[in-house]
Each structure stands twice: as C-alpha cells, then as structure tokens.
Amino acid sequence: MMVIALLSITIIIFILMIGLMIFTSPHISLIDTTYAKKNKSANNSVNNDGGGGDNSNNIANQDQSNIAAINNKVVILTFGDIHKSQYMIAKPILDQYGFKGSFFVTCDMVDKDSQMDWQEIVTLYHEGHDIEAKSADDLIKLPADQLNSQVSQSKQCLLDHGINNPSTFAVPQGNAIDNSTVIESIAKYYDFAINGFSPLMRLDCNNDHTGCSIYSDNGQLSTLNRYSIREWSHNANDKKYDYNSTAIFNRFVDVVDSQFKYNDNNNDGVINAIPLIAYHSIDNDRTSSSTAIDLFAAEMKYLHDNGFKVLTMHNIGYDQNNGRLYVKAPGTESGTPNPNSLSLYPVF
C-alpha cells in the first residue's frame, strides 16, 4: 500500500510540474522559440550569400565582425516623447549591446508626469546618444508665426542645455508630408525631419531624378524628401497585433530584414535603405504608447546577434550634388559622401 501511495504522489507531482511548465511565462517562451527560428533563417541567409560554414551553427556564436562584413545591415532606433522608461528600462538594454538611439525631446514635456528630466537627457547626450527636437503641437494647425516659433525654439531649447547641433526635427503625428509651409519652416533650422510612416527609408527618397530635394524640377512639392523621412511605428503594430509579443516580434524581424533586397547584394557596399524603428514607452502597461519590456529586449538581442549596425540620425548626411542621403563615416560631425562599403566601418 505504501508503494502504491508513493507512486501516486510521484505521478501527481509530475503532472503539476508539466502544468507549471506549460503555463509559466508563455510570451517569453514564444518569443524565444520564434527568435530561434528567425536566427536559424538569418544564419542560412548568411551562408547562402557566401558566408560559408555549417548551416547548423547558430549565428550568435559567429564572429560579429565577420557577420557585419557579410550582411550590409543597418537600423536606426528612434524614441519619442522622452518617456522615463526610455531611460530607466530601454537604456540599460541598449547599453548591454553598445547601441545608441535617437531621442526626440519635446521641451515642454521635460520633467512632467512620467517624462525624463534634463539631467537624464543630458546624460544620454554625454553617453553618445543622439538628442533631437520635437514640438508639442500639431504643426499643420498652427498659424505661420506660431509654427516658426515652435520649430525654432525646439532647437534653441536643446542648445541652451548644452546639446549641440541637433539636425533632425520630428513632426508630431507625422502628418505634414504634403504641407509645404511646415516643411519650409523646418528646413530653415534642420537638415532632416521625421515625417510619415513606412518600413524603410530610401536614401534616394525613391526618386532617381530629383532625389531628396523638397521640390521637383517642375516646382511641385515632393512628398518623399529629406523633410519627410518615414519611420516604422512600433506602437501602431503593438495595437494592430493586440500586444501579442510573438506576432509583433515576427513583424519587427520582417521589417528590419526588408532592407536585404536594397543593401545585401550590392557589390559596392553602399547603403541604399535603412529601417527606422520608432518606440515610445517601454513598459508592460499596454497603453497606446507601450512596447512590452521583454519584447524590446528580444528585438535588441536579434539586432545584436545578427550583426546589425545601429546608427542614429546624426550619422546621416545629405549630398547637395546628387540630392541623396548617405551614411557619414564614423566619428565625423560633418562627413562627406563615401562610396566605400559601410561594412568596413565599426559598429557606432
């Protein structure tokens, strides 16, 4: 009888352990499983593109510099509205991989509610992150004098706090791609503007003739120009997929990998397209601005393990001669167009 009782207890404990394994942290296990599948796919892609080696090897175990040389892959990470979680949660994850982000500061929001204070923003700046400008109001609804004031004061505010040379302005809601008044106002003070949404930023602005100029040769406003640079809204996809981390992670990988057809097969190594991934708050609150913490961590791990170079908007330049955007050589504040392969550059 004792043997039967012990056997029954053992079976019950075994069943409970199986149940615990099934129901514990389902999102994390799903992300890990999806990540492993995506990683294997990326590894096969490297080998198919001439990387050599055994397909069974995990790409995370390969020499990162070799991966970078094989895969001409880059990405820009943008952070809007200076949520405190960007400093408290996102920054340590970025630091883990040596990544730098482009943080867009709305001065009127500083140190209010759950936003960063100036000490945190300046710390980001001194640690090599890119600090750029953003206004609070919907620009297309402002009269001309208020429009010019908001755009110019957003830059002056950063300069007053010791943040030099902000080059990019973020248009709230990205809704001014066809508004020449707003674009011309921004062009007085900045080199670029984030304005609109798309998975990729084409460095020729998808226009072989006029490039990234504001106006075409016939005087018409070009809706694809250096003041209408598109980004991929993570929050729109958080909401679209009902905060399902696995589905969002899959979409994130598809977006960052979509540059392959523009960059990966170039013999000259010139970067032709860059995905800009737009984040706001990194938290588990499931609000309209939320991206889950573990999801963000998994995405950064994917970028690192697959050899992506993480750039900032300050690494982007504009060639007046051909109207094309380009990636500056590392360590330069004002680079010149360089035809050499970005794969020769170290990670920024």
Side-chain angles (χ1 to χ4, degrees):
M1 292 295 291
M2 183 177 294
V3 173
I4 295 175
L6 289 173
L7 181 60
S8 299
I9 293 172
T10 302
I11 293 173
I12 292 171
I13 292 174
F14 178 75
I15 293 172
L16 289 174
M17 290 178 65
I18 294 296
L20 184 62
M21 291 173 64
I22 291 173
F23 290 104
T24 299
S25 302
H27 290 296
I28 303 302
S29 60
L30 285 172
I31 291 176
D32 291 343
T33 301
T34 306
Y35 173 78
K37 292 178 180 177
K38 291 288 186 178
N39 228 17
K40 182 177 180 181
S41 174
N43 186 46
N44 290 339
S45 176
V46 169
N47 287 303
N48 291 338
D49 288 338
D54 184 353
N55 284 352
S56 64
N57 291 336
N58 191 305
I59 196 170
N61 296 325
Q62 298 181 33
D63 187 306
Q64 290 299 304
S65 62
N66 290 338
I67 296 171
I70 297 167
N71 291 314
N72 224 3
K73 300 181 292 187
V74 293
V75 64
I76 292 175
L77 308 174
T78 71
F79 297 86
D81 299 338
I82 56 172
H83 292 269
K84 181 79 73 171
S85 63
Q86 295 172 8
Y87 188 87
M88 302 300 296
I89 297 173
K91 179 182 177 297
I93 297 172
L94 296 174
D95 290 345
Q96 180 180 352
Y97 300 116
F99 293 166
K100 304 300 180 185
S102 289
F103 293 81
F104 287 84
V105 175
T106 303
C107 289
D108 290 343
M109 291 184 177
V110 175
D111 205 17
K112 292 183 179 179
D113 298 325
S114 59
Q115 268 65 38
M116 284 187 265
D117 58 34
W118 278 113
Q119 181 177 350
E120 291 164 331
I121 294 168
V122 171
T123 296
L124 286 171
Y125 174 69
H126 287 307
E127 290 186 3
H129 293 278
D130 179 30
I131 307 300
E132 302 290 358
K134 183 178 181 179
S135 67
D137 295 329
D138 186 351
L139 298 182
I140 65 175
K141 296 180 179 179
L142 296 180
D145 58 338
Q146 292 183 32
L147 168 64
N148 188 71
S149 176
Q150 280 217 16
V151 171
S152 63
Q153 287 304 310
S154 295
K155 183 172 187 175
Q156 188 60 50
C157 169
L158 297 180
L159 295 173
D160 291 344
H161 286 86
I163 297 169
N164 298 322
N165 302 320
S167 63
T168 307
F169 183 88
V171 176
Q173 305 176 45
N175 61 0
I177 58 174
D178 57 355
N179 191 304
S180 60
T181 302
V182 171
I183 289 175
E184 287 180 0
S185 179
I186 297 171
K188 295 176 185 177
Y189 306 99
Y190 302 89
D191 296 326
F192 311 107
I194 306 295
N195 181 17
F197 303 98
S198 178
L200 288 176
M201 172 181 75
R202 290 280 299 274
L203 299 194
D204 63 357
C205 293
N206 205 27
N207 193 326
D208 295 332
H209 186 54
T210 60
C212 298
S213 301
I214 299 176
Y215 293 101
S216 62
D217 292 341
N218 63 8
Q220 296 295 312
L221 175 69
S222 173
T223 56
L224 292 169
N225 61 69
R226 61 186 171 122
Y227 296 101
S228 295
I229 293 174
R230 281 24 174 210
E231 62 185 1
W232 183 73
S233 171
H234 203 294
N235 289 146
N237 286 270
D238 293 322
K239 183 177 181 180
K240 176 181 178 180
Y241 294 105
D242 195 26
Y243 303 95
N244 182 303
S245 291
T246 301
I248 301 165
F249 180 83
N250 285 336
R251 181 58 183 147
F252 167 85
V253 172
D254 289 342
V255 168
V256 297
D257 286 356
S258 66
Q259 64 187 280
F260 289 171
K261 65 180 179 180
Y262 300 103
N263 299 340
D264 204 41
N265 296 318
N266 296 327
N267 293 326
D268 56 9
V270 173
I271 297 298
N272 292 310
I274 303 175
L276 277 71
I277 309 299
Y279 296 97
H280 287 84
S281 185
I282 310 302
D283 60 55
N284 296 328
D285 296 338
R286 295 169 66 97
T287 69
S288 60
S289 61
S290 297
T291 294
I293 297 171
D294 288 331
L295 174 58
F296 179 77
E299 291 171 348
M300 296 305 102
K301 179 174 173 59
Y302 180 83
L303 296 178
H304 172 266
D305 289 357
N306 289 281
F308 282 80
K309 298 179 182 69
V310 177
L311 311 177
T312 70
M313 284 305 300
H314 213 59
N315 295 128
I316 304 302
Y318 177 66
D319 183 2
Q320 295 278 359
N321 294 324
N322 63 20
R324 178 187 167 93
L325 308 177
Y326 66 93
V327 178
K328 299 176 184 177
T332 61
E333 289 297 323
S334 55
T336 55
N338 191 329
N340 294 328
S341 171
L342 183 64
S343 64
L344 299 177
Y345 299 167
V347 176
F348 289 88

